[in-house]
Amino acid sequence: MMESGQALPAKIKTVWRISAGCSFLVGLLITGGLLTATVIWQWSRLFWLISAGLTVAEVVIELALIPYRYRFWRYRISERDVEIESGFFFHQQTAIPINRIQNVTLEAGPILQWQKLQTVSIETAATSHKIESVLPETAQQLKQQIMALALEAKPDDR
């Protein structure tokens, strides 16, 4: 594990809990639709019972994993690369070479805005990587730092 990496702010746990709640609502809507179909078309009750069970199981697992998800999510910026590490069961370490970075974008949907957080999206020619959610001041600082390093690493095109 990247010991010296930066952790995400604790507010991200609230965002993940809200996300689990939204998943639960979607699952309830699907279960309600299956229940309605069961009554109208006289299907087996098995359809909506399985849907209800899967919905509850998914939300319980998602909520139970929040502390682990938080503990194992880190990022670090050096002069050579941006490192992002996440996951315990499915551990992933990503190193994005500074000289490959083309753009850094700050994003925030309604839940992140409500929690006063922003996601830092780091784009290369091939893909995009995200530092999930940080405070706005940190996001601005990361954007400026990464872009300054990226500009230094690229040869002048004149």
Side-chain angles (χ1 to χ4, degrees), residues 65-118:
L65 290 177
I66 286 174
Y68 297 103
R69 187 175 174 189
Y70 179 75
R71 183 165 184 260
F72 291 99
W73 212 109
R74 298 268 185 269
Y75 68 91
R76 181 175 58 206
I77 299 169
S78 70
E79 292 183 14
R80 293 180 316 126
D81 57 18
V82 176
E83 296 177 52
I84 301 172
E85 183 174 4
S86 64
F88 175 71
F89 296 112
F90 301 101
H91 189 238
Q92 181 177 2
Q93 289 180 297
T94 304
I96 308 149
I98 289 289
N99 63 353
R100 302 276 188 202
I101 295 173
Q102 294 183 339
N103 194 25
V104 178
T105 307
L106 304 181
E107 306 166 352
I111 297 171
L112 290 180
Q113 289 178 25
W114 175 58
Q115 287 296 308
K116 296 179 177 48
L117 295 171
Q118 290 183 327

